[in-house]
Amino acid sequence: GPAGRRWRKVREAVLPRDGRVCAECGVHGANHADHIVPKSQGGGDEMTNLQTMCARCHNKKTGRESGRGIESKIRLSDY
């Protein structure tokens, strides 16, 4: 739909803007557009709220944000 086309257009602008370099680890060839402030926390699709990340770093960040990451499990098990 229109939202998907809009997102693809924004994503296709973010990756080359950042030189396809992961904002987290610096690896080249990164291909994920990440919301710096997650949409679930009020972040939007503006270019200023997007950064390029590799799959590994993006998955780790998404896991932390959703509470599924190892860090969260360790923290929860302390209580």
Side-chain angles (χ1 to χ4, degrees):
R5 280 193 292 278
R6 243 188 337 272
W7 170 246
R8 277 193 297 277
K9 215 170 177 174
V10 171
R11 180 182 176 276
E12 288 168 8
V14 170
L15 301 179
R17 177 199 70 187
D18 296 343
R20 292 187 175 269
V21 174
C22 178
E24 191 78 21
C25 73
V27 73
H28 290 260
N31 62 357
H32 287 263
D34 171 67
H35 290 86
I36 298 166
V37 176
K39 292 184 87 164
S40 63
Q41 295 175 17
D45 290 339
E46 302 82 24
M47 293 284 286
T48 54
N49 188 44
L50 295 168
Q51 63 185 351
T52 298
M53 293 184 97
C54 70
R56 184 172 170 268
C57 290
H58 187 255
N59 289 339
K60 281 171 51 178
K61 180 175 185 271
T62 302
R64 283 195 305 269
E65 291 165 356
S66 67
R68 289 192 312 259
I70 288 171
E71 299 88 348
S72 298
K73 289 179 184 163
I74 291 169
R75 228 183 5 258
L76 291 173
S77 69
D78 291 339
Y79 296 101

